[in-house]
């Protein structure tokens, strides 16, 4: 009996070594998510489908629509805008904005864009909205329409800058409470970040800036980032470089942060919402973001798919291929490979795709990865085709 017990204990220890039991991981926040910045593959989620306050992370939607207007030729970087009297009032209210605007003064779109992303200036964001849609109300409608285009349906949008409804004074939504705030889920916020970065990757040239001057005539405002994970800031990580994207803070939202960081040399987007913080000096959202990045690093590994595609009428028949995008793996990946229709191609061309069936993405559909040929192939002659048609390759 003793020998039997010893064997059982030995077997249990062996199994434990092969498959170590991982302690449950959680982020000290209301909700969180982590995704691959290129493919949208979900790497972690916690209450990610529940809508919560997003505060100034709202500004990413405002910036996206501004950049879209510039792309469409409706605005230009050097175009000047005069903010409305109400926007000037918001911009000069203590606690609402650290970049004051002046009545009758003009500001370039580039200035306002930088102030919106670096200093999270509410007046600047509202002025961008004014430049695009004339009124805040019209821009809010535009924001909602854009969210629907991104297949985001569970949202509340009242202001263009992320302040509570009543805090934008005359530009508030009259039918809503003054305390009403913008809300999205962590998953949908990740979608916003993905679209902004995917469509306008140059945004990180601004979100990675720690300090910049805002020049207004003879006056200069020293702008300083609220993203303390940027290089040189107090919460910067020597292991996980961070270059974006946006912070947010309010009574409803608590402390929030959508970050763009590198793990295993791959870019990931993280969202931490509702981190408890004592005051403006509390780094809670960044502490939790770094905790999440470390979890990803320890529990996932970035893989390049290496497989083969069969081309019935090509020589060779079985072609070595690799994935165009990396896939994050924990266990074995379940792949469904599909070859393209061409039987003649050179090395380095997209020749098919692979659907990774056991991987989730923020787009609620399987991850699809293009497959690149590692060797050339040519189409066989008509006689070989006939043989393979009847007898197989």
């Amino acid at each position: 009996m003793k020998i039997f017990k010893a064997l059982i204990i030995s077997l249990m220890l062996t199994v434990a070594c092969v498959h170590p039991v991982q302690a449950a991981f959680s982020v000290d926040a209301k909700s969180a998510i982590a995704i691959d910045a290129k493919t949208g593959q979900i790497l972690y989620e916690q209450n990610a489908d529940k809508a919560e306050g997003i505060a100034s992370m709202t500004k990413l939607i405002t910036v996206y629509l501004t950049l879209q207007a510039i792309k469409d030729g409706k605005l230009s970087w050097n175009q000047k805008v005069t903010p409305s009297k109400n926007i000037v009032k918001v911009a000069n209210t203590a606690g609402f904005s650290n970049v004051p605007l002046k009545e009758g003064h003009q500001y370039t779109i580039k200035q306002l864009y930088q102030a919106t992303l670096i200093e999270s200036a509410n007046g600047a964001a509202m002025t961008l909205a004014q430049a695009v849609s004339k009124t805040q109300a019209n821009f809010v409608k535009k924001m909602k329409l854009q969210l629907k285009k991104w297949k985001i349906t569970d949202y509340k949008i009242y202001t263009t800058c992320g302040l509570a409804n009543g805090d934008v004074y005359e530009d508030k939504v009259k039918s809503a409470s003054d305390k009403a705030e913008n809300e999205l889920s962590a998953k949908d916020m990740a979608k916003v970040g993905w679209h902004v970065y995917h469509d306008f990757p140059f945004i990180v040239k601004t979100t990675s800036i720690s300090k910049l001057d805002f020049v207004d005539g003879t006056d200069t405002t020293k702008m300083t980032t609220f993203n303390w994970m940027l290089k040189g800031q107090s919460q910067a990580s020597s292991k996980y470089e961070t270059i974006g994207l946006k912070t947010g803070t309010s009574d409803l939202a608590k402390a929030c942060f959508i970050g763009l960081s590198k793990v295993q040399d791959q870019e990931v987007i993280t969202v931490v919402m509702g981190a408890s913080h004592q005051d403006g000096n509390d780094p809670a959202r960044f502490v939790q973001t770094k905790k999440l990045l470390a979890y990803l690093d320890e529990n996932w590994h970035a893989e390049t798919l290496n497989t083969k595609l069969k081309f019935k009428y090509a020589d060779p028949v079985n072609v070595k291929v690799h994935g165009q995008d990396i896939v994050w793996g924990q266990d074995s990946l379940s792949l469904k490979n599909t070859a393209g229709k061409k039987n003649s191609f050179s090395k380095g061309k997209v020749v098919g795709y692979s659907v990774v069936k056991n991987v989730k993405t923020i787009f609620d559909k399987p991850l699809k990865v293009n497959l690149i040929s590692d060797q050339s192939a040519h189409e066989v002659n008509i006689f070989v085709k006939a043989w393979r048609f009847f007898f197989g390759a």
Side-chain angles (χ1 to χ4, degrees), residues 295-345:
Y295 168 81
L296 300 181
D297 197 15
E298 292 167 6
N299 293 277
W300 290 86
H301 51 275
E303 299 182 18
T304 298
L305 298 181
N306 288 289
T307 184
K308 290 184 178 181
L309 285 179
K310 184 175 182 178
F311 295 84
K312 187 174 182 179
Y313 300 120
D315 183 22
V317 173
N318 294 305
V319 177
K320 292 181 180 180
V321 294
H322 68 272
Q324 189 175 42
D325 300 320
I326 66 100
V327 179
W328 294 84
Q330 283 182 313
D331 301 310
S332 59
L333 298 171
S334 177
L335 308 178
K336 182 180 179 182
N337 298 334
T338 301
K341 296 180 179 180
K342 291 184 177 180
N343 291 292
S344 181
F345 45 81

Side-chain angles (χ1 to χ4, degrees), residues 6 9 35 81 139 179 199 240 296 313 338-339 364 387-388:
I9 293 172
I35 66 168
V81 189
F139 194 84
K179 293 183 179 180
D199 292 349
Y240 309 114
L296 300 181
Y313 300 120
T338 301
D364 298 318
W387 174 270
R388 291 183 181 178

Side-chain angles (χ1 to χ4, degrees), residues 97-111:
S97 178
N98 294 324
V99 179
L101 303 178
K102 297 179 181 180
E103 191 173 337
H105 281 217
Q106 291 186 319
Y107 306 92
T108 67
I109 295 297
K110 185 175 182 179
Q111 272 185 296

Side-chain angles (χ1 to χ4, degrees), residues 235-246:
Q235 293 299 312
S237 169
S238 59
K239 191 172 185 180
Y240 309 114
E241 179 190 9
T242 298
I243 54 176
L245 286 165
K246 191 70 191 72

Side-chain angles (χ1 to χ4, degrees), residues 49-317:
D49 292 314
K50 186 177 185 301
E52 304 280 2
I54 59 173
S56 280
M57 293 193 297
T58 297
K59 293 181 174 75
L60 286 183
I61 308 172
T62 301
V63 164
Y64 181 92
L65 292 172
T66 301
L67 294 176
Q68 190 63 56
I70 293 172
K71 181 181 177 181
D72 293 341
K74 297 176 181 178
L75 291 179
S76 66
W77 286 110
N78 294 321
Q79 183 174 332
K80 293 183 178 180
V81 189
T82 303
S84 69
K85 289 184 178 181
N86 188 64
I87 291 176
V88 171
K89 181 180 178 181
V90 173
N92 287 277
T93 300
F96 284 1
S97 178
N98 294 324
V99 179
L101 303 178
K102 297 179 181 180
E103 191 173 337
H105 281 217
Q106 291 186 319
Y107 306 92
T108 67
I109 295 297
K110 185 175 182 179
Q111 272 185 296
L112 299 167
Y113 166 80
Q114 291 171 333
T116 298
L117 289 175
I118 298 170
E119 186 71 37
S120 196
N122 294 306
M126 293 175 71
T127 308
L128 288 177
Q130 175 190 311
V132 174
S133 299
K134 306 300 181 186
T135 69
Q136 301 299 300
N138 286 341
F139 194 84
V140 166
K141 291 178 182 177
K142 199 174 186 70
M143 294 169 78
K144 292 178 178 179
L145 180 61
Q146 187 61 58
L147 291 177
K148 289 179 181 178
K149 288 180 180 178
W150 290 337
K151 301 188 186 308
I152 295 173
T153 56
D154 186 12
Y155 60 80
K156 293 178 181 177
I157 300 291
Y158 303 99
T159 67
T160 63
C161 59
L163 285 174
N165 187 41
D167 291 341
V168 294
Y169 305 125
E170 285 81 1
D171 284 319
K172 70 180 181 180
V173 176
K174 303 300 188 294
S175 59
S177 164
D178 281 359
K179 293 183 179 180
E181 291 191 30
N182 298 345
E183 295 182 28
L184 283 176
S185 68
K187 182 178 178 181
D188 288 338
M189 196 65 232
K191 284 183 185 178
V192 171
W194 186 92
H195 282 287
V196 171
Y197 186 48
H198 183 265
D199 292 349
F200 304 105
F202 59 82
I203 191 176
V204 297
K205 291 182 179 179
T206 303
T207 62
S208 60
I209 295 173
S210 293
K211 296 181 179 181
L212 191 68
D213 288 345
F214 184 91
V215 179
D216 186 359
T218 58
D219 296 329
T220 298
T221 299
K222 300 287 184 181
M223 298 191 296
T224 304
T225 183
F226 285 99
N227 181 357
W228 300 347
M229 285 185 68
L230 293 182
K231 186 177 180 180
Q233 297 298 302
S234 62
Q235 293 299 312
S237 169
S238 59
K239 191 172 185 180
Y240 309 114
E241 179 190 9
T242 298
I243 54 176
L245 286 165
K246 191 70 191 72
T247 57
T249 312
S250 73
D251 291 340
L252 173 68
K254 303 300 182 185
C256 305
F257 178 53
I258 175 169
L260 177 65
S261 308
K262 278 192 175 181
V263 175
Q264 298 177 24
D265 291 325
Q266 305 299 323
E267 291 181 334
V268 296
I269 292 173
T270 57
V271 180
V272 171
M273 294 172 60
S276 297
H277 69 303
Q278 300 301 316
D279 53 41
N281 297 316
D282 192 332
R285 54 190 162 191
F286 307 115
V287 171
Q288 297 308 311
T289 297
K290 287 189 286 187
K291 179 181 173 183
L292 179 52
L293 294 173
Y295 168 81
L296 300 181
D297 197 15
E298 292 167 6
N299 293 277
W300 290 86
H301 51 275
E303 299 182 18
T304 298
L305 298 181
N306 288 289
T307 184
K308 290 184 178 181
L309 285 179
K310 184 175 182 178
F311 295 84
K312 187 174 182 179
Y313 300 120
D315 183 22
V317 173

Side-chain angles (χ1 to χ4, degrees), residues 361-374:
T361 71
I362 54 171
F363 310 111
D364 298 318
K365 56 185 179 182
L367 177 60
K368 181 179 176 181
V369 179
N370 286 334
L371 296 174
I372 310 294
S373 60
D374 290 331

